[in-house]
Amino acid sequence: MSSSVAIDRVRVRAPGKLNLFFEVGDVQDDGYHDVASAYQAVSLYEDVWAEPASDFSVSVSGTVDVSGVPADDRNLALRAARLVAAQIGYEGGVHLEIVKQVPVAGGMGGGSADAAAALVACDALWGAELGMAELQHLAARLGADVPFSLMGGTAIGTGRGDELSPALAKGRFDWVVVPSGAGLSTPDVYRHLDALRAESGLVRAPRPPAVDVAVLQALRAGDPTALAEHTRNDLQVAALSLRPELRETLEVGERAGALAGMVSGSGPTLAFLAEDPESALELQVVLSAAGYEALHVHGPVHGARVR
C-alpha cells in the first residue's frame, strides 16, 4: 500500500452505457453466453462518495427508484470496496454513498458503474495506486460490464463482454433514453432468449459472436445514420416478449423521427438514436408530450474518474 497522504472523502463519477450492437452466442457449459458488444458510455452518471469508516457500509439515493438496490453485501459497489481492501491488505472500512441517475435493472449498467466508481474511489481514498490494469482485473471479477465502466468511451467487448478493445468513435452520438417503471432481470432475459431459440429451432452459425464491421465503420465516421442501419441487440426479442408494451414505445419514438430505436442491453430501458442534438431535443419533447419519461444523453464520455 502506498504511503500517500490520507484523504478524508473521495467523489467518483462513472457513466451508464448503451449496447450499440449486441450479438449473443449459445449458452456455454458454465451457464454463461459468449457475446460480442459495441459499448458506448453515455452522459447519464452514477456518483459515489467514499469516506473512511470502521466497517463497510453503503447508502443509496438518486433521481431514479432505488428501492430495489441492496444496501448489504449483495451491493456490487460494496463488494468492489472489499476487493480493493483485500488486494492491498487494508484493515479498515469505508462508507460508500451512492447517488444514482442510471435506471435500476434497466440494461444501462448502473450497478456496474457503481462498482467501477467504488474501485476508483477506494483506490484513491486509501492511496493504493493500483493502476488501471490491476483495477481492470478486479473489475472483471465483479461482472462483465464493470471493466467497461472503468474504461468509458466506446469499446468492443467479447467473451462475456469483459474482454475489451477500445474502438474509435468520431464526434458525438445523441440518444434519447426512455426508462421503464419496473426493471428486468438480466439472467431472466437470457434464459428467455434460450427458450425462444429452442422453440424456434434456431441454429446459429458455428462461429464466435462478432460485432458487424459496418458498426465499426459508422462509429469511425461519426455517422449516426449509418449506425442506425446496423445497430442490433439479440436480447431485444426476449425483452419484448417479456414486456410486450415496450413495442408501442419503440413505435412512438421511431414515428417521432428517431433514426433507430432499440432495447438497451437486457432492457427494459429503450434508447433512440437521433441525427444530432437538435433532433434529439425534438424527439425528447415529443416523447415527453406522449407521457413518457425521456432523457437526452450523448456519448462517448469518459469512464470512472475522480471528480
Side-chain angles (χ1 to χ4, degrees), residues 24-279:
V24 181
D26 293 327
V27 64
Q28 303 298 303
D29 292 341
D30 60 4
Y32 288 90
H33 297 72
D34 282 338
V35 303
S37 175
Y39 293 105
Q40 186 163 91
V42 296
S43 58
L44 200 59
Y45 297 99
E46 307 280 85
D47 284 299
V48 174
W49 281 262
E51 57 188 33
S54 58
D55 202 352
F56 290 81
S57 61
V58 62
S59 60
V60 186
S61 62
T63 59
V64 295
D65 180 8
V66 300
S67 58
V69 180
D72 54 23
D73 279 338
R74 294 171 297 162
N75 186 286
L76 208 56
L78 208 54
R79 288 164 56 192
R82 290 188 184 276
L83 268 185
V84 176
Q87 185 71 13
I88 65 175
Y90 183 72
E91 296 182 355
V94 66
H95 176 70
L96 301 176
E97 179 186 343
I98 301 174
V99 179
K100 299 183 68 66
Q101 291 185 28
V102 178
V104 176
M108 291 189 69
S112 297
D114 294 341
L119 289 173
V120 174
C122 291
D123 179 67
L125 183 71
W126 299 329
E129 299 180 0
L130 288 175
M132 182 54 71
E134 187 60 36
L135 290 175
Q136 285 282 4
H137 176 72
L138 296 178
R141 293 170 58 184
L142 292 162
D145 287 343
V146 183
F148 177 70
S149 297
L150 273 177
M151 177 186 285
T154 305
I156 304 306
T158 54
R160 293 181 184 174
D162 58 351
E163 298 169 18
L164 296 175
S165 303
L168 181 63
K170 180 182 177 183
R172 115 177 200 162
F173 292 82
D174 285 85
W175 303 84
V176 176
V177 172
V178 177
S180 180
L184 273 172
S185 158
T186 298
D188 286 350
V189 175
Y190 273 99
R191 279 192 292 268
H192 196 55
L193 176 64
D194 292 336
L196 291 174
R197 286 176 168 177
E199 288 171 12
S200 68
L202 177 67
V203 178
R204 292 192 67 261
R207 62 164 178 80
V211 173
D212 191 330
V213 172
V215 171
L216 302 179
Q217 292 171 338
L219 290 168
R220 281 198 298 268
D223 187 342
T225 302
L227 179 62
E229 292 175 7
H230 300 285
T231 188
R232 190 180 102 216
N233 178 6
D234 282 1
L235 292 178
Q236 179 160 310
V237 63
L240 293 182
S241 176
L242 291 168
R243 296 284 296 277
E245 70 276 10
L246 297 175
R247 292 184 188 275
E248 180 182 345
T249 312
L250 281 173
E251 291 170 1
V252 170
E254 289 170 349
R255 286 199 304 268
L259 296 175
M262 62 180 185
V263 172
S264 175
S266 57
T269 302
L270 302 178
F272 296 94
L273 180 59
E275 187 171 357
D276 50 40
E278 294 74 24
S279 300

